[in-house]
């Protein structure tokens, strides 16, 4: 690999990240094309406990489960992800969320909870984007599955009654309350664990062995008026459903479908069942709990170890012909039980939530995404006051600067950081960011002895694009006009120099550090070399003294 290598020692501090200092003794920056392939990555810090349900609402990813924090912030059993950070939905619920869907422009959650946002509910509640309410009435026990069919909200689960009407494990919401669907499900256990669609039919899967009074082994279809079986059904519990390449896919814990060997996953073409290769297996667990489709590929998640005979560890992909693994899969410490409880898509990524703390080689908190990082480039033009030479219009040396992107609205959460080399002639450095969605972000620049400086307004970052931002051509390009003019021809503004200790203020503390190094005749790449001439002397102290006298400090939103 060819490129330019710059060797230096650097102190780095990002304010807003609790001022974590680290000494980077070797910085290798290689200016070359970098190719990205699909891999695992975390969603911030993830959750502190298991994730059971996923959906997308108002452009944000919604996760429900057993957790009480998401991304390090309190979030009781449900949270939303905007592509950068997690936040709660009000005060959340008082117990586990197991099912999610969107109905009439509002988010519906079901599970084991009896209050949402402090409002008393019965296992189901609605979020209108601002607050929770109990307008959906309630059901008598756990809601395990939700979907929308023919404009109606459908709920399935462990309940026999809904709004005190006998519905037998499945019901639809109509005007005035919940209503039964053809007598519901039966058998020694009638629970409905998953709901899906195939063609114009609603599909239900679960523990039941009858639907609407007919034999229907663990899976059945509803045409709007009555239930009917899908062939002879499936030999044991169905936990997940998806439509893929014109066929219905069912996943769960079973060994056959329609009398044909099919290990925990099978497909229905409208008239017959068939396996997907040699299926999903494992020496202890063989569950398929989640299914989704992205880019004409089927993704299956659950508690299992192999798919099609190859190691897959809780998550695998079917391309219509064969199975393949997603990296080294999902793990949870040394436990034999690991993998996904929920699988969905968000943008161009597959999202999995469940019982795992590692995805591939990446540490995650019960939720992760699989995809190809989308990279964008920011070209930033800036100058350090002490480094700038008005006679040559150049900097005394090329140097490393750090850049951080922050969300454009309070509390201005950190989105990403990157490092680059500010060229002494062009005064420009390039920074690459991956997995950051297109949108408005404040841009903050950091240098080893300059004041932290933010962009005057949020910058429109474009994923997979090129964005330019110039601090030097106008003082208003810094938030609070927090720069100093260093040239009149051409007109140029620069970052204030002298914040040697990177505490956000230029004061006697910085001057003292410069004095000490000057008295010891220190030379080299040092924060106290404020003018970049590789020597610490009185010329460096001038910048700190003058800026300290003028009470220069950082200004941030």
């Amino acid at each position: 690999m060819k490129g330019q290598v710059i060797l230096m020692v650097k102190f780095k501090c990002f304010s807003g990240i609790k001022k974590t200092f680290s000494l980077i003794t070797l910085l290798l920056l290689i200016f070359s094309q970098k190719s990205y392939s699909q891999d695992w990555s975390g969603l911030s810090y993830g959750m502190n406990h298991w994730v059971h349900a996923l959906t997308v609402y108002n452009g944000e990813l919604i996760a429900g489960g057993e957790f009480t924090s998401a991304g390090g912030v309190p979030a009781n059993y449900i949270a939303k992800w905007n592509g950068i950070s997690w936040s709660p939905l009000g005060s959340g619920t008082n117990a586990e969320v197991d099912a999610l869907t969107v109905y009439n422009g509002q988010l519906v959650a079901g599970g084991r909870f009896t209050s949402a946002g402090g409002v008393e509910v019965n296992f189901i509640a609605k979020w209108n984007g601002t607050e929770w309410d109990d307008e959906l009435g309630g059901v008598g026990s756990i809601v395990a599955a939700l979907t929308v069919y023919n404009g109606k909200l459908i709920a399935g689960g462990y309940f026999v009654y809904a709004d005190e009407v006998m519905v037998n494990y499945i019901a639809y919401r109509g005007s005035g309350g919940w209503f039964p669907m053809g007598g519901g499900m039966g058998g020694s256990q009638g629970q409905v664990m998953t709901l899906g669609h195939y063609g114009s039919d609603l599909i239900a899967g679960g523990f039941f062995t009858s639907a609407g009074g007919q034999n229907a082994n663990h899976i059945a279809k509803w045409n709007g008026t009555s239930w009917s079986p899908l062939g002879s059904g499936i030999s044991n519990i169905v936990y997940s459903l998806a439509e893929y390449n014109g066929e219905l896919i069912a996943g769960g814990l079973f060994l056959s479908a329609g009398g044909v060997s099919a290990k925990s996953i099978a497909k229905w073409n409208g008239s017959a069942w068939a396996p997907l290769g040699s299926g999903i297996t494992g020496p202890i667990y063989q569950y398929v709990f989640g299914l989704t489709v992205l880019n004409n590929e089927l993704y299956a998640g659950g508690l299992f170890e192999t798919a099609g005979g190859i190691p897959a560890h809780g998550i695998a992909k079917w391309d219509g012909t064969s199975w393949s693994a997603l990296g080294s899969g999902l793990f949870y410490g040394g436990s034999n039980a690991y993998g996904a409880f929920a699988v969905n898509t968000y943008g161009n990524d597959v999202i999995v939530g469940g019982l795992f703390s590692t995805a591939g080689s990446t540490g995650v908190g019960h939720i992760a995404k699989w995809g190809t990082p989308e990279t964008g480039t920011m070209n930033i033009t800036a100058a350090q006051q002490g480094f700038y030479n008005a006679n040559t219009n150049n900097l005394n040396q090329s140097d490393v600067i750090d850049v951080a992107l922050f969300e454009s609205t309070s509390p201005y959460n950190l989105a990403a950081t990157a490092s680059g080399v500010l060229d002494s002639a062009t005064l420009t450095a390039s920074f690459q960011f991956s997995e950051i969605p297109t949108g408005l972000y404040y841009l903050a620049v950091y240098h080893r002895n300059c004041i932290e400086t933010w962009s005057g307004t949020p910058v429109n970052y474009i994923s997979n694009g090129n964005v330019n931002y110039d601090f030097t051509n106008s003082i208003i390009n810094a938030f609070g006009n927090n720069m100093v003019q260093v040239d009149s021809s051409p007109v140029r503004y620069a970052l204030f120099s002298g914040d040697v200790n990177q505490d956000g203020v230029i004061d006697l503390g910085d001057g003292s550090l410069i004095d000490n190094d000057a008295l010891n005749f220190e030379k080299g790449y040092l924060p106290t070399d404020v003018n970049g001439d590789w020597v610490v002397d009185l010329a460096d102290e001038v910048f700190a003294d003058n800026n300290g006298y003028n009470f220069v400090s950082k200004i941030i939103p």
Side-chain angles (χ1 to χ4, degrees), residues 307-353:
I310 64 171
H313 301 297
I315 185 76
K317 180 175 65 177
W318 172 259
D319 63 6
T321 305
S322 61
W323 290 100
S324 59
L326 276 64
S328 56
L330 310 172
F331 291 91
Y332 185 60
S335 172
N336 288 318
Y338 48 80
F341 293 146
V343 185
N344 212 318
T345 62
Y346 183 57
N348 292 318
D349 297 319
V350 172
I351 309 295
V352 296

Short mmCIF file of all heavy atoms in Angstrom, two decimals, residues 307-353:
data_model
loop_
_atom_site.label_atom_id
_atom_site.label_comp_id
_atom_site.label_asym_id
_atom_site.label_seq_id
_atom_site.Cartn_x
_atom_site.Cartn_y
_atom_site.Cartn_z
N ALA A 307 -26.14 -23.52 9.94
CA ALA A 307 -27.16 -23.32 8.91
C ALA A 307 -26.62 -23.95 7.63
O ALA A 307 -25.52 -23.61 7.17
CB ALA A 307 -27.43 -21.84 8.69
N GLY A 308 -27.36 -24.89 7.09
CA GLY A 308 -26.87 -25.60 5.91
C GLY A 308 -25.60 -26.36 6.17
O GLY A 308 -24.79 -26.57 5.26
N GLY A 309 -25.38 -26.75 7.42
CA GLY A 309 -24.21 -27.53 7.77
C GLY A 309 -22.96 -26.73 8.06
O GLY A 309 -21.92 -27.30 8.40
N ILE A 310 -23.02 -25.40 7.94
CA ILE A 310 -21.84 -24.57 8.20
C ILE A 310 -22.03 -23.81 9.52
O ILE A 310 -23.16 -23.47 9.89
CB ILE A 310 -21.55 -23.59 7.05
CG1 ILE A 310 -22.71 -22.59 6.91
CG2 ILE A 310 -21.33 -24.33 5.75
CD1 ILE A 310 -22.41 -21.46 5.95
N PRO A 311 -20.95 -23.51 10.24
CA PRO A 311 -21.09 -22.73 11.47
C PRO A 311 -21.69 -21.36 11.18
O PRO A 311 -21.25 -20.65 10.27
CB PRO A 311 -19.64 -22.60 11.97
CG PRO A 311 -18.91 -23.74 11.34
CD PRO A 311 -19.55 -23.93 9.99
N ALA A 312 -22.72 -20.98 11.93
CA ALA A 312 -23.38 -19.70 11.70
C ALA A 312 -23.63 -18.94 13.00
O ALA A 312 -23.77 -17.72 12.99
CB ALA A 312 -24.70 -19.92 10.96
N HIS A 313 -23.77 -19.63 14.12
CA HIS A 313 -23.83 -19.03 15.44
C HIS A 313 -24.88 -17.93 15.56
O HIS A 313 -24.58 -16.75 15.73
CB HIS A 313 -22.46 -18.49 15.85
CG HIS A 313 -21.39 -19.54 15.88
ND1 HIS A 313 -21.43 -20.61 16.74
CD2 HIS A 313 -20.27 -19.69 15.12
CE1 HIS A 313 -20.38 -21.38 16.53
NE2 HIS A 313 -19.66 -20.85 15.55
N GLY A 314 -26.13 -18.32 15.41
CA GLY A 314 -27.23 -17.43 15.74
C GLY A 314 -27.76 -16.55 14.63
O GLY A 314 -28.82 -15.95 14.77
N ILE A 315 -27.08 -16.47 13.48
CA ILE A 315 -27.55 -15.63 12.38
C ILE A 315 -26.97 -16.18 11.07
O ILE A 315 -25.80 -16.54 11.01
CB ILE A 315 -27.13 -14.15 12.58
CG1 ILE A 315 -27.73 -13.25 11.51
CG2 ILE A 315 -25.63 -14.00 12.69
CD1 ILE A 315 -29.19 -12.94 11.69
N ALA A 316 -27.81 -16.26 10.04
CA ALA A 316 -27.36 -16.81 8.76
C ALA A 316 -28.15 -16.19 7.63
O ALA A 316 -29.21 -15.59 7.83
CB ALA A 316 -27.51 -18.33 8.76
N LYS A 317 -27.63 -16.35 6.41
CA LYS A 317 -28.23 -15.75 5.22
C LYS A 317 -28.48 -16.83 4.16
O LYS A 317 -27.62 -17.68 3.90
CB LYS A 317 -27.28 -14.67 4.68
CG LYS A 317 -27.76 -13.95 3.44
CD LYS A 317 -26.81 -12.84 3.06
CE LYS A 317 -25.45 -13.37 2.65
NZ LYS A 317 -24.53 -12.28 2.20
N TRP A 318 -29.67 -16.78 3.55
CA TRP A 318 -30.06 -17.70 2.48
C TRP A 318 -30.24 -16.90 1.20
O TRP A 318 -31.01 -15.93 1.16
CB TRP A 318 -31.35 -18.40 2.88
CG TRP A 318 -32.01 -19.26 1.84
CD1 TRP A 318 -33.07 -18.94 1.05
CD2 TRP A 318 -31.64 -20.60 1.47
NE1 TRP A 318 -33.40 -19.98 0.24
CE2 TRP A 318 -32.54 -21.02 0.46
CE3 TRP A 318 -30.66 -21.48 1.91
CZ2 TRP A 318 -32.48 -22.28 -0.12
CZ3 TRP A 318 -30.60 -22.74 1.31
CH2 TRP A 318 -31.50 -23.14 0.31
N ASP A 319 -29.51 -17.29 0.14
CA ASP A 319 -29.57 -16.53 -1.11
C ASP A 319 -30.52 -17.13 -2.13
O ASP A 319 -30.55 -16.73 -3.30
CB ASP A 319 -28.18 -16.38 -1.72
CG ASP A 319 -27.56 -17.72 -2.12
OD1 ASP A 319 -28.24 -18.77 -2.02
OD2 ASP A 319 -26.38 -17.72 -2.53
N GLY A 320 -31.33 -18.10 -1.70
CA GLY A 320 -32.23 -18.80 -2.60
C GLY A 320 -31.73 -20.17 -2.97
O GLY A 320 -32.50 -21.02 -3.44
N THR A 321 -30.44 -20.40 -2.74
CA THR A 321 -29.82 -21.68 -3.09
C THR A 321 -29.05 -22.30 -1.93
O THR A 321 -29.10 -23.50 -1.71
CB THR A 321 -28.86 -21.50 -4.28
OG1 THR A 321 -29.56 -20.91 -5.38
CG2 THR A 321 -28.26 -22.82 -4.72
N SER A 322 -28.32 -21.43 -1.19
CA SER A 322 -27.46 -21.95 -0.14
C SER A 322 -27.38 -20.98 1.03
O SER A 322 -27.71 -19.80 0.91
CB SER A 322 -26.05 -22.22 -0.69
OG SER A 322 -25.48 -21.02 -1.18
N TRP A 323 -26.92 -21.52 2.17
CA TRP A 323 -26.74 -20.74 3.38
C TRP A 323 -25.32 -20.21 3.48
O TRP A 323 -24.37 -20.85 3.00
CB TRP A 323 -27.02 -21.59 4.61
CG TRP A 323 -28.45 -21.95 4.81
CD1 TRP A 323 -29.07 -23.12 4.50
CD2 TRP A 323 -29.46 -21.11 5.38
NE1 TRP A 323 -30.39 -23.08 4.83
CE2 TRP A 323 -30.67 -21.85 5.38
CE3 TRP A 323 -29.48 -19.81 5.89
CZ2 TRP A 323 -31.86 -21.32 5.87
CZ3 TRP A 323 -30.66 -19.29 6.38
CH2 TRP A 323 -31.84 -20.04 6.36
N SER A 324 -25.15 -19.07 4.12
CA SER A 324 -23.82 -18.55 4.43
C SER A 324 -23.88 -17.85 5.78
O SER A 324 -24.94 -17.42 6.25
CB SER A 324 -23.31 -17.60 3.35
OG SER A 324 -24.19 -16.49 3.20
N ALA A 325 -22.72 -17.75 6.42
CA ALA A 325 -22.63 -17.13 7.73
C ALA A 325 -22.44 -15.63 7.60
O ALA A 325 -22.02 -15.12 6.56
CB ALA A 325 -21.46 -17.73 8.51
N LEU A 326 -22.75 -14.90 8.66
CA LEU A 326 -22.49 -13.47 8.74
C LEU A 326 -21.31 -13.29 9.69
O LEU A 326 -21.47 -13.23 10.91
CB LEU A 326 -23.71 -12.71 9.25
CG LEU A 326 -24.78 -12.33 8.22
CD1 LEU A 326 -25.42 -13.58 7.61
CD2 LEU A 326 -25.84 -11.44 8.84
N GLY A 327 -20.12 -13.27 9.13
CA GLY A 327 -18.92 -13.24 9.95
C GLY A 327 -18.88 -14.45 10.85
O GLY A 327 -19.27 -15.55 10.46
N SER A 328 -18.42 -14.26 12.06
CA SER A 328 -18.36 -15.37 13.01
C SER A 328 -19.62 -15.45 13.87
O SER A 328 -19.68 -16.27 14.79
CB SER A 328 -17.12 -15.23 13.91
OG SER A 328 -17.11 -13.98 14.57
N GLY A 329 -20.63 -14.63 13.56
CA GLY A 329 -21.91 -14.76 14.23
C GLY A 329 -22.02 -14.02 15.54
O GLY A 329 -21.29 -13.07 15.82
N LEU A 330 -22.96 -14.48 16.37
CA LEU A 330 -23.33 -13.81 17.62
C LEU A 330 -22.96 -14.68 18.82
O LEU A 330 -23.20 -15.89 18.80
CB LEU A 330 -24.83 -13.53 17.63
CG LEU A 330 -25.41 -12.86 16.37
CD1 LEU A 330 -26.92 -12.83 16.43
CD2 LEU A 330 -24.83 -11.46 16.19
N PHE A 331 -22.42 -14.05 19.86
CA PHE A 331 -22.00 -14.79 21.05
C PHE A 331 -22.40 -14.06 22.32
O PHE A 331 -22.52 -12.84 22.34
CB PHE A 331 -20.48 -15.01 21.03
CG PHE A 331 -20.02 -15.95 19.97
CD1 PHE A 331 -19.66 -15.47 18.72
CD2 PHE A 331 -19.97 -17.31 20.20
CE1 PHE A 331 -19.24 -16.33 17.72
CE2 PHE A 331 -19.55 -18.18 19.21
CZ PHE A 331 -19.19 -17.69 17.96
N TYR A 332 -22.55 -14.82 23.38
CA TYR A 332 -22.87 -14.27 24.69
C TYR A 332 -21.99 -14.94 25.72
O TYR A 332 -22.35 -15.95 26.31
CB TYR A 332 -24.35 -14.49 25.02
CG TYR A 332 -24.80 -13.84 26.31
CD1 TYR A 332 -24.71 -12.46 26.47
CD2 TYR A 332 -25.32 -14.59 27.36
CE1 TYR A 332 -25.14 -11.85 27.63
CE2 TYR A 332 -25.75 -13.99 28.52
CZ TYR A 332 -25.65 -12.62 28.67
OH TYR A 332 -26.07 -12.01 29.82
N GLY A 333 -20.78 -14.40 25.90
CA GLY A 333 -19.84 -14.99 26.85
C GLY A 333 -19.57 -16.44 26.49
O GLY A 333 -19.41 -16.81 25.33
N GLY A 334 -19.56 -17.29 27.48
CA GLY A 334 -19.32 -18.71 27.24
C GLY A 334 -20.59 -19.53 27.19
O GLY A 334 -20.55 -20.75 27.21
N SER A 335 -21.74 -18.86 27.09
CA SER A 335 -23.01 -19.56 27.12
C SER A 335 -23.25 -20.34 25.83
O SER A 335 -22.84 -19.94 24.75
CB SER A 335 -24.15 -18.56 27.33
OG SER A 335 -25.40 -19.18 27.19
N ASN A 336 -23.94 -21.46 25.96
CA ASN A 336 -24.37 -22.21 24.78
C ASN A 336 -25.61 -21.61 24.15
O ASN A 336 -25.98 -21.96 23.03
CB ASN A 336 -24.65 -23.67 25.16
CG ASN A 336 -23.39 -24.44 25.46
OD1 ASN A 336 -22.40 -24.30 24.75
ND2 ASN A 336 -23.41 -25.25 26.51
N ALA A 337 -26.28 -20.72 24.88
CA ALA A 337 -27.48 -20.05 24.35
C ALA A 337 -27.08 -18.65 23.90
O ALA A 337 -26.75 -17.81 24.72
CB ALA A 337 -28.55 -19.97 25.43
N TYR A 338 -27.08 -18.42 22.62
CA TYR A 338 -26.72 -17.11 22.10
C TYR A 338 -27.40 -16.94 20.75
O TYR A 338 -27.72 -17.90 20.06
CB TYR A 338 -25.21 -16.96 21.93
CG TYR A 338 -24.54 -18.12 21.24
CD1 TYR A 338 -24.58 -18.23 19.84
CD2 TYR A 338 -23.90 -19.11 21.96
CE1 TYR A 338 -23.99 -19.30 19.20
CE2 TYR A 338 -23.30 -20.19 21.33
CZ TYR A 338 -23.34 -20.27 19.94
OH TYR A 338 -22.75 -21.33 19.31
N GLY A 339 -27.63 -15.70 20.40
CA GLY A 339 -28.19 -15.44 19.08
C GLY A 339 -29.24 -14.36 19.10
O GLY A 339 -29.34 -13.56 20.03
N ALA A 340 -30.05 -14.34 18.04
CA ALA A 340 -31.00 -13.25 17.81
C ALA A 340 -32.42 -13.65 18.18
O ALA A 340 -32.88 -14.74 17.86
CB ALA A 340 -30.94 -12.83 16.34
N PHE A 341 -33.13 -12.74 18.85
CA PHE A 341 -34.55 -12.90 19.09
C PHE A 341 -35.37 -12.11 18.06
O PHE A 341 -36.54 -12.40 17.84
CB PHE A 341 -34.93 -12.41 20.48
CG PHE A 341 -34.36 -13.24 21.60
CD1 PHE A 341 -33.99 -12.66 22.79
CD2 PHE A 341 -34.21 -14.61 21.46
CE1 PHE A 341 -33.48 -13.42 23.83
CE2 PHE A 341 -33.71 -15.38 22.48
CZ PHE A 341 -33.34 -14.79 23.68
N ALA A 342 -34.76 -11.08 17.48
CA ALA A 342 -35.46 -10.23 16.51
C ALA A 342 -34.50 -9.87 15.38
O ALA A 342 -33.32 -9.61 15.61
CB ALA A 342 -35.97 -8.96 17.18
N VAL A 343 -35.02 -9.85 14.15
CA VAL A 343 -34.24 -9.50 12.97
C VAL A 343 -35.08 -8.55 12.12
O VAL A 343 -36.25 -8.84 11.85
CB VAL A 343 -33.84 -10.74 12.14
CG1 VAL A 343 -32.92 -10.34 11.00
CG2 VAL A 343 -33.18 -11.79 13.02
N ASN A 344 -34.49 -7.45 11.70
CA ASN A 344 -35.22 -6.49 10.87
C ASN A 344 -34.22 -5.73 10.02
O ASN A 344 -33.01 -6.01 10.06
CB ASN A 344 -36.04 -5.53 11.76
CG ASN A 344 -37.32 -5.08 11.09
OD1 ASN A 344 -37.34 -4.78 9.89
ND2 ASN A 344 -38.41 -5.03 11.84
N THR A 345 -34.70 -4.78 9.25
CA THR A 345 -33.82 -3.94 8.44
C THR A 345 -34.00 -2.49 8.84
O THR A 345 -35.07 -2.07 9.28
CB THR A 345 -34.11 -4.09 6.94
OG1 THR A 345 -35.46 -3.67 6.66
CG2 THR A 345 -33.93 -5.53 6.50
N TYR A 346 -32.93 -1.71 8.67
CA TYR A 346 -32.97 -0.27 8.89
C TYR A 346 -32.03 0.36 7.87
O TYR A 346 -30.82 0.16 7.93
CB TYR A 346 -32.54 0.07 10.32
CG TYR A 346 -32.61 1.54 10.66
CD1 TYR A 346 -33.80 2.24 10.54
CD2 TYR A 346 -31.49 2.22 11.11
CE1 TYR A 346 -33.88 3.59 10.87
CE2 TYR A 346 -31.55 3.56 11.44
CZ TYR A 346 -32.76 4.24 11.32
OH TYR A 346 -32.83 5.57 11.63
N GLY A 347 -32.61 1.06 6.89
CA GLY A 347 -31.79 1.55 5.79
C GLY A 347 -31.25 0.38 4.99
O GLY A 347 -31.99 -0.53 4.61
N ASN A 348 -29.96 0.36 4.77
CA ASN A 348 -29.32 -0.72 4.02
C ASN A 348 -28.66 -1.75 4.91
O ASN A 348 -27.82 -2.53 4.44
CB ASN A 348 -28.28 -0.13 3.06
CG ASN A 348 -28.92 0.67 1.95
OD1 ASN A 348 -29.93 0.27 1.38
ND2 ASN A 348 -28.34 1.83 1.64
N ASP A 349 -29.03 -1.75 6.19
CA ASP A 349 -28.42 -2.68 7.13
C ASP A 349 -29.43 -3.68 7.67
O ASP A 349 -30.63 -3.39 7.74
CB ASP A 349 -27.82 -1.92 8.33
CG ASP A 349 -26.70 -0.99 7.92
OD1 ASP A 349 -25.88 -1.40 7.08
OD2 ASP A 349 -26.65 0.14 8.44
N VAL A 350 -28.94 -4.84 8.05
CA VAL A 350 -29.73 -5.81 8.80
C VAL A 350 -29.47 -5.56 10.28
O VAL A 350 -28.32 -5.46 10.71
CB VAL A 350 -29.35 -7.26 8.42
CG1 VAL A 350 -30.04 -8.26 9.34
CG2 VAL A 350 -29.72 -7.53 6.97
N ILE A 351 -30.55 -5.44 11.05
CA ILE A 351 -30.43 -5.21 12.49
C ILE A 351 -30.85 -6.48 13.23
O ILE A 351 -31.88 -7.07 12.90
CB ILE A 351 -31.32 -4.05 12.94
CG1 ILE A 351 -31.09 -2.81 12.08
CG2 ILE A 351 -31.08 -3.75 14.41
CD1 ILE A 351 -29.71 -2.21 12.18
N VAL A 352 -30.06 -6.89 14.20
CA VAL A 352 -30.41 -8.04 15.02
C VAL A 352 -30.38 -7.64 16.49
O VAL A 352 -29.52 -6.87 16.92
CB VAL A 352 -29.47 -9.24 14.78
CG1 VAL A 352 -29.60 -9.75 13.36
CG2 VAL A 352 -28.03 -8.88 15.07
N GLY A 353 -31.34 -8.14 17.24
CA GLY A 353 -31.36 -7.93 18.67
C GLY A 353 -31.58 -9.25 19.37
O GLY A 353 -32.26 -10.13 18.83
#
